[in-house]
Amino acid sequence: MEQTKEPLNSMSLGFVEALYADFLEDASSVAPEWQRYFHSLGEANGSSLRQAVGPSFRRSSMFNPPTQAQPNGHGATKELNVAVLQDRVDQLIRAYRVRGHMIANLDPLGMPRPVPPELDLEFYGLTEADMDRPFSTRTIYGPDVLTLRGILKRLRTTYCRFIGAQFMHIDDLRVRNWLQHRMEGSENRIELSRREQVRIFTRLTDAVIFEEFIVKKYIGAKSFSLEGAESLIPLLDLAIEKAGEQGCSEIVLGMAHRGRLNVLANIMAKSPRLIFREFEDVAPELQAGGGDVKYHLGHSADWVTACGQKVHLSLCFNPSHLEFVNPVAIGRMRAKQDRIRDTDHRHGMVLLVHGDAAFAGEGIVQETFNMSGLQGYSVGGTIHVIVNNQIGFTTPPSEGRSTPYATDVAKMLQSPIFHVNGEDPEAVAQVVRMAMDFRQEFQRDVVIDMYCYRLRGHNETDEPSFTQPLLYQAIEKHKSTREAYLEHLLKLGGVTREEADKIESQRREQLERELSVARSEDYVPRPEMFPNPWVNYIGGPDKAVEEVETGIDRERAGRLLEIQTRVPPDFHAHPKVDRLLKLRAEMAQGKRPLDWAAGEAVALASLATDGYRIRMSGQDCTRGTFSQRHALLHDIKDGHQYLPLEHLAPNQGKVEIINSPLSEMAVLGFEYGYSLDYPDALVMWEAQFGDFVNSAQVIIDQFIASAEEKWRRLSGVVLLLPHGLEGNGPEHSSARLERFLELTASDNMQVINPTTPAQYFHALRRQVLRRLRKPLVVMTPKSLLRNPEAVSSLDELAQGRFQRVIPDRIGTSAVQRVLICSGKVYYDLDAKRREMGRDDVAILRMEQLAPLPIEQLRHALAAYSDGTPVVWVQEEPENMAAWRYLRVQLGEKLFDRLPFSGVFRRASASPATGSHSGHKREQAELLAKAFGGV
């Protein structure tokens, strides 16, 4: 057979097994020397090669073939021996790439790690006698031949020293080879100049002295110190410097509270006097119930690198929900990139600092990873840094995760994971440089898992030895990273003791000066100013902001809708979509009224042609959950796509309508982050059904609802939440209107439940055209999307503005009862009124629920006589939707003259019944009661 002519170094166990299979089928089909060898295996070991070799490929006759040549003189045994030895070595090399990280010296506390059997020479039948035998190293960067001793030295230095790399899960051979060559070529070492070593030592000193200073000056105060993980400061310093070298001009950082004050002072250039003033807490009246604790605050600063590159740094504010800032930070960076048209994602970078327990434990990490390679959410790769304290509050890794590493969730990405001993700053420097170069080359996420420890408890008032006595006995005896690195530099002659002492004394003196200023009576901190592009936008009370005209010329509205009905000549639309486009063309001509989707399409088109950017994302939002939008068309012959909103005018704003992954938390967090850095864009997130917003509650509570109050940060993000009880069961009925209303105070959010396409049109335009920037929550319809009553004319788009309260169309003289409602139930009430011929009942629509339109409501009710009963009608249960909110806000008598009561379904733990027949019966009872029935 021709197989025996292959090069010796390509012979492998697989090749020999295939040859043996041929031998078993027809012995004469293989060369005589192979026949004799396979006969000897069978006689010695049994019926098959695999049995002879054994499942672990150890101590088998195959791996120990006879050393004497066969009588025919062909020397096949000798050839096989050489090939098998090479195969064993190749397997050993691969094992170090795959498993070498498992014996790397990662833990600063030196906890022992078991050695995997795959890294033992005996596993492959290799012995000390083979150590000085030369082998091919064609798969290793460097010389073509090395002794086994040399190969082992290179592999152990590369993969088992202070850096452990996981990269063999990456499918792309080109990427794996890049990493192999980068690591094995340098043996995962970095040569630092004296200047670089001094810089690292200085940054370590900055970190250590800052923490020591806080502990001594503010005894017992919570600061969530970085002690035990001070290498984070030189790590960030090196990453920012490298980013500047690579042409990066913007970095958005996100991190939890541990080490945050240190990062603020030593990386973000926040003046220590401001931090100390926050510790002093001398003016609590200025917060007036707002603000946040000092270790949740964000900051912005400009950094000038050693090469002269200016890099703007933005550290995101973050609540104690540790990892939930991740998509927010990435959304902010995407907005920054889009603003400068950085479509290649080269001029900005996200750097996220995680805790080990949170990284492994919180699902938002996986959700965010899943978006990293998606076109609508990519930012060109994120650098993830895990400050691995090897504990979460009081929980050790054995109780906090089911995986060997905190980083194992990151293996879902086609990206490397670098584990590094944080007590070796030069290993940290090597990893940072390699991670930054990898991101620059492949624009993928990279994970740096920096092993360290937590010197103190969860916070400075905590006693960690209650639950980890042995761990903290070891920590108490351990010298700091700065001390260890100083000893290293002193041995190398990289720094003198006098230089080290001078660096330390200068840092202490500087902090003393800053503290003196912070404690002075005449010190008045300057409030942080909103950077561009926020100069033209404000927050604050809704009524303090002037109204704007949101109508557009009737002809323009028709033209903008008509343009969206055109497709290129070679585009083949689906027949049903083609009919929809024809209907919209009739709407554009005024031949039929506009439905909900048409009103939205004109709103988006009008803003885009005015130069505003439009961004909408959500599950299946390009088509629309209810097949109503069809913003993105698909050719039925070849599948290519066409977005009419992108073809309105030559200089229009960019329009993106993006189907999101099946995620609410991360996607809404991303869109919220996007809105923070693009205030002049219309940024919308649409839930597939309104109740899906339940899965994004942390983003709503901790960011959207409270950011202005806590952090003075504004957002105009829009939430589109399909809402309405229509017999579809409890899970697809309610967008939890009551939760948003419970969160409203101080005009922090706008909550509306519009009933016409024109109202929706004006609300979207108002959101962009007003100077006010507030989150907007829209209860959007389902059945009203095609309800022939829920329509608007082109004239209604041209005239007026969003009406917070819509009065009734009937006269007031005969009215004996006033119903107030919101949303879809209005059409049910109106139909019931016509059916009953009840012209004595007026129906008002409260289109905006927050901020509550008190004056507009007062005006709408002014014509009704004192004592006229006013009834709030909602189809939701009594304990949900707006009733309890309104009762608290308005009391039992409106404006001291109109008795106020409510009609609703009975209080329930579930939003709606699962029975369609039951729903219809309940709805009929509700409507009857609204008109005074029992």
Side-chain angles (χ1 to χ4, degrees):
M1 287 184 61
E2 291 298 317
Q3 289 96 320
T4 58
K5 297 180 180 180
E6 292 189 32
L8 291 180
N9 61 11
S10 67
M11 291 184 185
S12 65
L13 175 60
F15 165 70
V16 178
E17 285 184 318
L19 203 61
Y20 185 62
D22 290 342
F23 166 79
L24 293 177
E25 183 176 347
D26 179 8
S28 63
S29 66
V30 301
E33 58 266 34
W34 289 104
Q35 292 179 34
R36 285 189 288 272
Y37 180 69
F38 290 140
H39 277 301
S40 69
L41 288 181
E43 294 167 0
N45 297 283
S47 62
S48 75
L49 179 67
R50 179 62 63 176
Q51 289 174 336
V53 175
S56 63
F57 311 148
R58 298 170 63 183
R59 298 186 179 91
S60 70
S61 61
M62 177 184 169
F63 283 99
N64 297 277
T67 56
Q68 300 296 321
Q70 297 296 331
N72 65 5
H74 288 286
T77 305
K78 183 177 180 181
E79 286 188 3
L80 182 61
N81 190 33
V82 173
V84 169
L85 284 174
Q86 181 67 53
D87 181 72
R88 299 175 197 171
V89 172
D90 287 343
Q91 291 184 52
L92 178 65
I93 292 170
R94 177 177 171 80
Y96 267 90
R97 289 169 178 158
V98 176
R99 297 281 186 266
H101 58 86
M102 298 183 73
I103 60 171
N105 182 10
L106 301 177
D107 188 354
L109 302 177
M111 298 299 178
R113 306 178 75 196
V115 178
E118 306 98 294
L119 301 182
D120 189 336
L121 289 179
E122 284 192 5
F123 189 85
Y124 305 97
L126 296 167
T127 68
E128 184 66 28
D130 300 308
M131 291 295 283
D132 294 314
R133 187 191 297 270
F135 290 95
S136 168
T137 54
R138 68 193 185 285
T139 66
I140 301 178
Y141 185 86
D144 291 335
V145 177
L146 283 174
T147 64
L148 179 56
R149 192 182 307 279
I151 291 171
L152 279 175
K153 178 179 180 295
R154 173 163 288 199
L155 293 173
R156 288 169 179 168
T157 303
T158 301
Y159 297 115
C160 309
R161 194 166 165 267
F162 295 108
I163 298 171
Q166 289 181 283
F167 66 100
M168 294 297 283
H169 58 280
I170 299 173
D171 295 327
D172 191 329
L173 179 62
R174 181 176 65 98
V175 176
R176 290 203 311 273
N177 284 340
W178 187 94
L179 289 162
Q180 285 175 197
H181 292 168
R182 181 65 181 263
M183 290 186 285
E184 294 170 8
S186 65
E187 297 187 21
N188 248 342
R189 296 173 182 265
I190 190 171
E191 295 294 331
L192 296 175
S193 65
R194 180 183 184 278
R195 180 185 61 80
E196 291 170 322
Q197 289 175 328
V198 171
R199 183 181 182 112
I200 290 173
F201 175 75
T202 301
R203 302 307 263 153
L204 280 173
T205 302
D206 291 341
V208 170
I209 300 304
F210 179 84
E211 297 295 355
E212 290 178 354
F213 193 87
I214 293 292
V215 169
K216 290 178 181 178
K217 299 298 182 180
Y218 298 101
I219 298 172
K222 290 182 182 180
S223 65
F224 296 94
S225 80
L226 191 61
E227 292 165 294
E230 293 92 343
S231 287
L232 177 65
I233 299 303
L235 185 158
L236 296 177
D237 178 278
L238 291 163
I240 295 167
E241 287 289 314
K242 185 66 175 176
E245 292 177 17
Q246 294 172 343
C248 181
S249 58
E250 287 261 7
I251 298 179
V252 174
L253 298 95
M255 68 179 299
H257 45 273
R258 182 159 313 284
R260 191 179 189 89
L261 295 180
N262 209 313
V263 170
L264 282 166
N266 290 314
I267 297 297
M268 299 303 303
K270 182 174 181 178
S271 174
R273 67 186 63 177
L274 289 174
I275 297 173
F276 299 152
R277 188 74 167 190
E278 290 160 359
F279 273 102
E280 298 290 325
D281 199 16
V282 294
E285 68 280 358
L286 297 179
Q287 299 296 337
D292 201 353
V293 291
K294 62 190 76 67
Y295 36 79
H296 288 174
L297 303 179
H299 195 69
S300 296
D302 288 328
W303 177 297
V304 180
T305 69
C307 65
Q309 172 73 24
K310 181 179 175 181
V311 182
H312 184 71
L313 307 179
S314 301
L315 176 64
C316 298
F317 38 79
N318 192 33
S320 288
H321 294 67
L322 307 178
E323 298 293 332
F324 289 88
V325 75
N326 298 350
V328 176
I330 296 171
R332 289 190 64 184
M333 175 49 61
R334 178 59 180 256
K336 290 175 182 290
Q337 292 171 340
D338 286 352
R339 179 172 287 283
I340 63 172
R341 295 182 175 85
D342 178 20
T343 56
D344 293 331
H345 309 309
R346 293 290 184 183
H347 297 288
M349 183 184 83
V350 179
L351 204 163
L352 297 176
V353 181
H354 311 268
D356 52 314
F359 193 84
E362 296 190 1
I364 191 69
V365 174
Q366 182 275 333
E367 288 190 31
T368 306
F369 276 159
N370 189 49
M371 296 193 303
S372 65
L374 303 180
Q375 184 177 359
Y377 306 92
S378 174
V379 293
T382 294
I383 300 293
H384 300 268
V385 178
I386 298 175
V387 178
N388 195 333
N389 293 305
Q390 307 181 74
I391 193 170
F393 200 160
T394 66
T395 305
S398 61
E399 297 173 2
R401 61 176 187 262
S402 300
T403 57
Y405 290 112
T407 57
D408 282 337
V409 66
K411 290 170 74 174
M412 67 179 283
L413 298 180
Q414 294 288 293
S415 297
I417 301 167
F418 299 114
H419 308 280
V420 61
N421 190 321
E423 200 161 63
D424 187 336
E426 296 191 4
V428 171
Q430 162 69 0
V431 163
V432 169
R433 189 166 294 181
M434 187 162 46
M436 293 294 294
D437 286 344
F438 177 88
R439 178 193 171 275
Q440 178 75 0
E441 179 72 19
F442 298 107
Q443 292 196 290
R444 300 185 186 183
D445 288 27
V446 189
V447 178
I448 300 173
D449 180 18
M450 188 183 78
Y451 272 69
C452 48
Y453 57 91
R454 190 184 69 193
L455 181 63
R456 305 180 190 278
H458 176 63
N459 60 58
E460 285 63 31
T461 65
D462 185 42
E463 177 49 71
S465 62
F466 287 158
T467 50
Q468 275 77 34
L470 299 182
L471 174 65
Y472 276 87
Q473 287 173 23
I475 289 174
E476 286 176 6
K477 300 173 184 176
H478 199 71
K479 66 176 64 176
S480 74
T481 301
R482 177 185 179 275
E483 291 172 357
Y485 191 53
L486 176 57
E487 291 178 4
H488 171 70
L489 293 182
L490 290 173
K491 291 177 182 177
L492 294 177
V495 70
T496 66
R497 174 65 68 176
E498 292 74 19
E499 287 175 312
D501 292 343
K502 183 179 180 181
I503 292 170
E504 179 179 347
S505 63
Q506 287 176 339
R507 295 312 188 263
R508 291 189 189 279
E509 291 168 5
Q510 179 193 8
L511 293 179
E512 289 287 359
R513 290 193 297 269
E514 292 289 314
L515 180 62
S516 177
V517 173
R519 287 178 171 174
S520 64
E521 294 183 1
D522 57 349
Y523 173 59
V524 179
R526 294 181 180 179
E528 184 183 353
M529 303 300 292
F530 283 122
N532 285 324
W534 279 99
V535 292
N536 296 321
Y537 302 98
I538 61 174
D542 178 86
K543 62 184 178 181
V545 180
E546 66 279 5
E547 290 290 346
V548 294
E549 293 298 327
T550 53
I552 64 172
D553 182 78
R554 185 185 190 280
E555 285 69 28
R556 182 188 175 204
R559 185 172 65 254
L560 290 174
L561 184 58
E562 190 274 332
I563 292 174
Q564 296 180 65
T565 66
R566 304 176 193 169
V567 296
D570 61 344
F571 190 88
H572 307 92
H574 190 284
K576 291 184 178 180
V577 173
D578 190 54
R579 286 195 293 272
L580 179 143
L581 295 178
K582 287 181 171 61
L583 288 176
R584 286 190 185 170
E586 293 180 9
M587 296 176 192
Q589 296 164 11
K591 295 179 180 179
R592 64 171 61 236
L594 279 64
D595 62 13
W596 195 271
E600 178 188 78
V602 178
L604 301 186
S606 65
L607 291 170
T609 52
D610 285 341
Y612 295 101
R613 189 180 192 99
I614 309 294
R615 180 182 169 93
M616 177 191 290
S617 78
Q619 294 160 25
D620 310 293
C621 73
T622 64
R623 190 201 76 175
T625 299
F626 310 100
S627 197
Q628 84 281 6
R629 181 172 292 120
H630 291 287
L632 184 67
L633 308 180
H634 302 259
D635 189 290
I636 60 172
K637 292 192 174 180
D638 61 16
H640 80 273
Q641 300 171 347
Y642 181 73
L643 183 66
L645 280 164
E646 284 190 327
H647 302 277
L648 302 168
N651 299 315
Q652 70 171 84
K654 175 70 174 176
V655 179
E656 290 182 295
I657 301 182
I658 303 160
N659 282 341
S660 76
L662 193 64
S663 159
E664 289 82 34
M665 186 77 75
V667 174
L668 180 56
F670 184 101
E671 302 306 338
Y672 170 73
Y674 194 99
S675 73
L676 294 175
D677 279 87
Y678 220 135
D680 44 339
L682 179 61
V683 183
M684 298 173 284
W685 174 73
E686 182 175 67
Q688 191 174 75
F689 284 90
D691 60 286
F692 287 15
V693 79
N694 294 346
S695 299
Q697 203 62 43
V698 172
I699 300 298
I700 294 164
D701 290 357
Q702 307 301 327
F703 291 94
I704 293 174
S706 57
E708 183 176 354
E709 189 110 319
K710 293 191 295 187
W711 308 311
R712 301 198 306 277
R713 287 295 177 266
L714 306 179
S715 165
V717 69
V718 178
L719 279 63
L720 305 177
L721 310 177
H723 175 83
L725 275 69
E726 288 151 327
N728 290 323
E731 305 311 323
H732 293 327
S733 295
S734 175
R736 295 297 188 176
L737 172 61
E738 65 278 359
R739 293 183 185 169
F740 292 100
L741 296 178
E742 287 170 359
L743 289 169
T744 57
S746 306
D747 291 8
N748 60 323
M749 292 189 294
Q750 306 165 92
V751 181
I752 67 174
N753 194 1
T755 54
T756 71
Q759 280 286 87
Y760 182 44
F761 166 88
H762 288 296
L764 291 179
R765 285 183 53 80
R766 180 183 73 162
Q767 184 70 1
V768 175
L769 298 180
R770 280 208 299 177
R771 294 175 61 221
L772 187 74
R773 282 297 173 267
K774 299 278 181 179
L776 172 63
V777 180
V778 186
M779 300 287 121
T780 58
K782 294 178 285 184
S783 64
L784 296 191
L785 294 171
R786 293 179 176 82
N787 188 320
E789 299 293 326
V791 293
S792 299
S793 67
L794 289 171
D795 287 332
E796 289 176 281
L797 305 191
Q799 300 164 3
R801 55 179 69 139
F802 178 77
Q803 299 180 74
R804 293 171 172 84
V805 176
I806 300 180
D808 200 0
R809 63 180 181 272
I810 67 173
T812 60
S813 58
V815 169
Q816 301 297 312
R817 184 180 183 88
V818 178
L819 306 181
I820 305 179
C821 64
S822 182
K824 166 245 175 187
V825 74
Y826 165 76
Y827 292 97
D828 296 334
L829 291 170
D830 191 41
K832 184 68 173 178
R833 179 173 61 177
R834 292 196 303 270
E835 175 190 320
M836 297 176 67
R838 293 291 301 273
D839 290 339
D840 62 332
V841 177
I843 307 174
L844 277 61
R845 284 174 272 178
M846 190 178 291
E847 302 280 287
Q848 178 171 299
L849 293 160
L852 193 62
I854 296 292
E855 293 307 314
Q856 290 85 350
L857 182 61
R858 186 197 304 273
H859 179 75
L861 293 171
Y864 302 113
S865 303
D866 291 359
T868 302
V870 177
V871 181
W872 171 258
V873 183
Q874 67 180 39
E875 53 187 352
E876 300 88 350
E878 183 266 343
N879 57 316
M880 299 179 190
W883 166 243
R884 291 186 177 178
Y885 162 80
L886 292 174
R887 192 53 178 259
V888 169
Q889 297 289 326
L890 300 175
E892 296 182 4
K893 185 173 283 190
L894 295 179
F895 311 116
D896 296 324
R897 68 184 192 87
L898 303 168
F900 186 47
S901 62
V903 170
F904 26 69
R905 281 172 166 79
R906 64 176 179 81
S908 172
S910 177
T913 177
S915 164
H916 189 73
S917 298
H919 163 77
K920 292 174 66 176
R921 179 181 56 80
E922 291 176 355
Q923 195 76 352
E925 292 173 355
L926 179 89
L927 296 176
K929 190 175 180 181
F931 285 91
V934 178

